[in-house]
Amino acid sequence: MAWQRYARLAADLVGPWGRVRFPAILTPYGFLAMRAVVAVLLFVTTVHAALWGVFRDKQEAPDFKGILPSVSYAPFEGTSHPDVDNIPNAEKIRADLKKLASLTRAIRLYSSTGGVELVPPIAAEFGLKVTVGAWIDKNVDRNEREIDAAINLAKRNSNVIGVVVGNETVYRGEQKVDDLIGLVKRVKKSVNVPVTTGEIWNIWRDNPELASSVDFIAAHILPYWENFTDKQAVDQAVYIYGMLRDKFPGKRIVIAEFGWPSAGYNLKNADPGPFEQAAVLRNFVTRAESIGMEYNIVEAIDQPWKFFEGGVGPYWGILNAAREPKFAWTGPIVNENYWKLALLALLVGVLMSLPILRLADATVMQSLMLSAAANGIGAWTATVFAYWTGHYFVFGSAFALTLGLILLVPLVLIAMARIEEIAAIAFGRNPRRLLAKGPSAEPAVTGSEAFPTAFPKVSIHVPAYFEPPEMLKQTLDAVARLDYPNFECVVIINNTPDPEFWQPIQDHCRTLGERFKFINAEKVEGFKAGALRIAMERTAADAEIIGIIDADYVVQPDWLKDLVPVFADPRVGLVQAPQDHRDGNRSLMHYIMNGEYAGFFDIGMVQRNEANAIIVHGTMCLIRRAAMDMAGGWNGDTICEDTDLGLAIIEHGWLTHYTNHRYGHGLLPDTYEAFKKQRHRWAYGGFQIVKKHWRRFLPGASRLSPDQRREFALGWLNWLGAESLGVLVAILNLIWVPIVAFADIAIPDKILTLPIIASFVVSLLHFVVLYRLRVPVKWGQMLGAMIAAMSVQWTVSRAVANGLITEHLAFARTSKGGFSLMSVEFQAFWEAVIGILLLVGAAVLVVTNNQKEVREIYVFAAVLVLESLPFLSAVAIAILENSRVNAFSFWRHAGVRTLELIGLRPVAMPTVVGSTSQPVASEIHREAS
């Protein structure tokens, strides 16, 4: 029967002590859970679709069924400036004017040369009137050519109804009022049509002599540039029109430019956008027609080459650059592409939710959180697509956006991986493969197929290189106290010629007895791996399990007694116990460093263990000798030989197990410098391992399961990639600051900056939530651990950079045992430089944005501040290490002084900054008493 087959399969997958082995199977409960997960995915997708429906923008505005009196027209295409390489031809102009003939009765031009002189005769073919323009600036020769060309066009084309000499030349400071009046009068003498100049309305108001010299006032009213909202724009235009009529009674007033941009950045309260543009223009033309206002809409077609006019420069047209209408003049204002974007968001959300179906026994809340995050990525993808298709890009902005999106892809993957871990730990099922501390498993070992004897022999290897003898003696004494009858200990001191370091250990090994073998090897190649290879040569032939501990680790007596029985399963190749430290109370710095280490062993390792994909970290590790031989033994081609060997063992199909019970305690790095060097070695070695093993992650190249491949790939991305990406993005943003602050272009849009902020929030929640759920530390130590974790971002990124350009760095021993002197150099110099530059960059952005108040710039400044935190964390720890505040005695005395000041005699003191350490609490109590 089917259920009998399930029972046999279940028995095979459950270990001898009731531990569920990898992988899990689908039981009837599993099928029900799968149905629940599918229901959750459908529910989230439905909610996502409903949200698109709820938030669909639909605005009402007056219908305009007439034809516009005039629109500004520039016959240019693309992003090239007309003065450089953007000469229109007759065919393009004819196609444009054919479209515009159904929208307007007339067009306004701004120049009369460079191909624009072709427009008036072609416009006549479609019955369009033309107001000719003569572009005036400081170039006298060009001005002469423009004026002559404008006069000729007015004389030769009967559809020319006016000439505009100059466009905002007084406002730009390129002509004085008197000089401009002279040019206007010159043209008036040469043509039989009205002549004027185009200026902002306040130039007309403040220069009545200019108004007197023209045939009509051509006033520009652009409320966007005056910090009016789209709701205020029409009222402002009508008010200015009335003011000009009152100031110049009897004078013909034409609003020669009125418009609103459909995209770009806000200017204080003025927000551009497609809905805003449609509503403003439809309201304006309705009001203008009702009061008999003469007006010209700027402009007919988007001009991508106007990127120098700020973010909104290219987006004033009523047609886009493809000559398609941007909005309808009647009916509700809607986004015609809205549902296409919604469908794209839903499809991406569904595709990114599908991996949830592969999770073993995912809970409803876990699936809900993951699917919501996946659909959030889908919504962001649709937003990016809308931005990409709705904007115009010159090479620089296109390159910046492309690079930004490329960098955001791993950032999004990292954020999703962290959300998945939050969901698994907060809402998922409890770990099933974690080896829990329990009674001795000795009876289960006796008579097993794996071992012919009750207690298989274990050979414990202790490599040492210039280690303090007293510290190493403590390690060996602890090994001697192991509650296990069948073990040996091989102590290998390598490349340490000074007898003060090795002679006491040799003598101590003789004292401890024949179980302890001492080796003093000089000129060993391959660093620690080379020493361990020598230890293997001296290992007893009948030793079936190899144990590795570092020279500073004091192991608990029950280490072997508890963990060796796991090897009774012949498929188990390795069992790993966590690192921990016994000197976390040496100083405040060591206290937070210890908290930072704990997170890896209580969170990441526990979760990876569920996929049989732990990272082997050498000390406190037990390895089946047969598995080690199959994997090729210790290799010296990486400086993380333990992780390298562990991955090789997993690649050969062996099972690994992990316990988060502390079976040994070592020593923390002596100094912050040593802490950073250790992290650099780990990161550099990790990158070496990536380069060495990536081919084995290809299909069929090893026995790695898809889940194992995923865990290792995401683990490397989450650590090496996240830190390197953080530094790279920070440096690129620093380079971008002066462009944003002083060039007034290429402001990073929210699609690039908000994901960075969201990723930071996810990382913060990931750290806090998982520490509260899994790591037994108090708030003070947790916050300190967060600072310590951030402080090595620069260190890890340097290691990755070193890995890209070098094949092998020397193994750097981590200084421990309290014998190291602090370096006279400041240990966070470059972090201080980059952190301060990021803060200065943020300040520059805020100050230079004071007049514009562009929201994207403030968001960009906030991103720079967030990016400075890892660098400033390193600075904070480097300063802490050299300050009085680092000593716990400072806090003890400060507490005593505080109690004395308030008139209380101290009897007992609380633990220091969230410490759970009893020795510190008791010291404080004794001193206070």
Side-chain angles (χ1 to χ4, degrees), residues 897-904:
R897 288 192 297 269
T898 301
L899 291 176
E900 289 175 346
L901 284 174
I902 63 175
L904 295 176

Side-chain angles (χ1 to χ4, degrees), residues 298-544:
V298 63
E299 55 195 325
I301 303 169
D302 280 349
Q303 300 293 300
W305 58 275
K306 290 186 177 180
F307 59 88
F308 55 85
E309 292 182 0
V312 297
Y315 304 105
W316 292 84
I318 59 176
L319 303 180
N320 62 26
R323 277 54 178 171
E324 298 168 341
K326 291 161 73 173
F327 59 88
W329 289 93
T330 59
I333 302 171
V334 295
N335 180 0
E336 298 293 340
N337 295 318
Y338 187 82
W339 290 115
K340 295 179 183 177
L341 296 174
L343 181 60
L344 174 63
L346 291 171
L347 287 175
V348 173
V350 169
L351 288 174
M352 294 199 67
S353 296
L354 291 179
I356 301 173
L357 299 175
R358 295 184 64 252
L359 297 178
D361 294 335
T363 66
V364 169
M365 285 301 298
Q366 182 182 2
S367 303
L368 185 65
M369 184 175 181
L370 292 176
S371 186
N375 280 270
I377 299 300
W380 175 72
T381 303
T383 304
V384 171
F385 182 79
Y387 183 88
W388 188 275
T389 57
H391 288 73
Y392 312 113
F393 303 97
V394 296
F395 174 77
S397 58
F399 175 79
L401 180 62
T402 303
L403 178 61
L405 292 175
I406 290 173
L407 293 175
L408 281 180
V409 170
L411 191 70
V412 168
L413 291 176
I414 291 166
M416 285 295 294
R418 290 175 177 174
I419 290 173
E420 181 180 345
E421 196 166 26
I422 294 173
I425 293 176
F427 303 115
R429 308 196 185 280
N430 291 329
R432 299 184 175 186
R433 298 187 75 249
L434 183 66
L435 301 176
K437 170 69 175 174
S440 173
E442 177 184 340
V445 180
T446 305
S448 73
E449 296 178 5
F451 304 118
T453 60
F455 296 97
K457 188 165 188 175
V458 179
S459 181
I460 301 170
H461 298 175
V462 185
Y465 168 71
F466 277 106
E467 302 291 356
E470 293 305 316
M471 178 189 76
L472 185 50
K473 286 180 182 180
Q474 292 182 52
T475 298
L476 300 180
D477 289 341
V479 171
R481 293 192 295 268
L482 283 170
D483 183 14
Y484 191 81
N486 192 14
F487 74 90
E488 68 171 6
C489 180
V490 180
V491 183
I492 170 73
I493 294 183
N494 69 95
N495 299 326
T496 308
D498 190 343
E500 291 188 7
F501 285 90
W502 61 262
Q503 188 65 57
I505 303 304
Q506 183 182 45
D507 296 341
H508 197 67
C509 287
R510 289 171 180 164
T511 303
L512 291 174
E514 60 183 11
R515 281 184 170 180
F516 288 79
K517 300 178 181 178
F518 175 81
I519 305 171
N520 181 20
E522 297 183 6
K523 298 181 180 180
V524 176
E525 296 182 358
F527 307 106
K528 186 177 178 179
L532 289 172
R533 283 197 299 269
I534 294 173
M536 285 299 299
E537 294 171 0
R538 295 284 298 274
T539 297
D542 59 342
E544 301 176 63

Side-chain angles (χ1 to χ4, degrees), residues 711-794:
E711 285 293 334
F712 278 102
L714 283 179
W716 288 326
L717 179 65
N718 198 22
W719 179 36
L720 302 176
E723 306 293 15
S724 303
L725 188 66
V727 171
L728 178 61
V729 171
I731 292 174
L732 290 176
N733 284 341
L734 269 178
I735 296 172
W736 210 245
V737 166
I739 299 174
V740 173
F742 304 114
D744 198 31
I745 58 173
I747 302 166
D749 193 82
K750 294 186 288 291
I751 62 169
L752 297 180
T753 52
L754 290 182
I756 296 176
I757 295 176
S759 178
F760 178 84
V761 171
V762 168
S763 298
L764 182 65
L765 288 175
H766 177 266
F767 196 98
V768 173
V769 171
L770 301 193
Y771 257 74
R772 299 316 299 161
L773 291 175
R774 285 282 177 85
V775 186
V777 297
K778 293 187 177 180
W779 279 96
Q781 191 173 12
M782 182 196 73
L783 295 176
M786 185 186 303
I787 293 172
M790 288 194 297
S791 76
V792 292
Q793 183 186 67
W794 174 250

Side-chain angles (χ1 to χ4, degrees), residues 6 24 52 123 145-146 149 153 156 173 192 198 225 297 320 327 401 458 463 565 569 607-608 684 719 756-757 773 820:
Y6 276 121
W52 278 90
R145 291 195 302 271
E146 284 284 336
L153 289 173
R156 296 175 181 176
N192 295 320
W225 293 114
I297 297 298
N320 62 26
F327 59 88
L401 180 62
V458 179
D569 181 348
Q607 291 307 114
R608 294 176 67 103
Y684 181 83
W719 179 36
I756 296 176
I757 295 176
L773 291 175
S820 302

Side-chain angles (χ1 to χ4, degrees), residues 101-323:
S102 62
L103 300 174
T104 184
R105 291 189 291 269
I107 57 175
R108 176 190 169 186
L109 304 177
Y110 289 85
S111 66
S112 296
T113 61
V116 183
E117 69 274 7
L118 300 174
V119 174
I122 297 175
E125 298 175 14
F126 300 99
L128 288 170
K129 302 297 182 182
V130 178
T131 299
V132 169
W135 186 261
I136 302 298
D137 53 24
K138 294 181 179 181
N139 188 326
V140 176
D141 293 337
R142 172 174 173 159
N143 293 347
E144 288 298 319
R145 291 195 302 271
E146 284 284 336
I147 290 174
D148 291 343
I151 291 172
N152 288 332
L153 289 173
K155 288 180 177 180
R156 296 175 181 176
N157 296 277
S158 60
N159 62 331
V160 172
I161 58 174
V163 178
V164 180
V165 182
N167 185 69
E168 299 182 359
T169 53
V170 174
Y171 170 73
R172 294 197 306 272
E174 294 180 338
Q175 290 286 325
K176 294 181 179 179
V177 173
D178 292 340
D179 296 334
L180 182 59
I181 290 174
L183 295 176
V184 170
K185 289 180 177 179
R186 173 183 164 188
V187 175
K188 286 175 66 174
K189 293 177 182 179
S190 304
V191 298
N192 295 320
V193 295
V195 179
T196 186
T197 186
E199 281 294 347
I200 298 173
W201 63 268
N202 58 293
I203 299 295
W204 294 106
R205 180 196 63 188
D206 300 337
N207 298 276
E209 68 276 20
L210 182 61
S212 300
S213 67
V214 298
D215 293 322
F216 65 94
I217 293 174
H220 298 173
I221 303 177
L222 298 170
Y224 169 84
W225 293 114
E226 298 180 51
N227 186 33
F228 288 97
T229 69
D230 55 291
K231 303 297 188 297
Q232 301 169 325
V234 176
D235 291 337
Q236 172 67 5
V238 173
Y239 168 76
I240 295 299
Y241 176 71
M243 183 269 291
L244 291 175
R245 291 185 63 181
D246 293 340
K247 186 169 182 63
F248 303 105
K251 196 79 174 182
R252 179 187 171 200
I253 308 292
V254 177
I255 305 304
E257 280 190 1
F258 179 87
W260 196 267
S262 62
Y265 303 104
N266 74 289
L267 182 65
K268 292 188 176 180
N269 297 319
D271 288 307
F275 284 88
E276 290 80 1
Q277 182 189 50
V280 167
L281 292 183
R282 284 173 58 171
N283 276 289
F284 173 76
V285 297
T286 304
R287 289 277 294 277
E289 296 288 335
S290 69
I291 63 176
M293 178 193 297
E294 291 186 74
Y295 64 89
N296 171 76
I297 297 298
V298 63
E299 55 195 325
I301 303 169
D302 280 349
Q303 300 293 300
W305 58 275
K306 290 186 177 180
F307 59 88
F308 55 85
E309 292 182 0
V312 297
Y315 304 105
W316 292 84
I318 59 176
L319 303 180
N320 62 26
R323 277 54 178 171

Side-chain angles (χ1 to χ4, degrees), residues 56 204 278 481 546 563 641 679 689 708-709 866 922:
R56 186 191 185 196
W204 294 106
R481 293 192 295 268
I546 308 299
L563 297 185
E641 70 295 322
R679 197 58 53 95
I689 291 170
Q708 288 173 322
R709 290 185 174 93
L866 292 180
S922 60

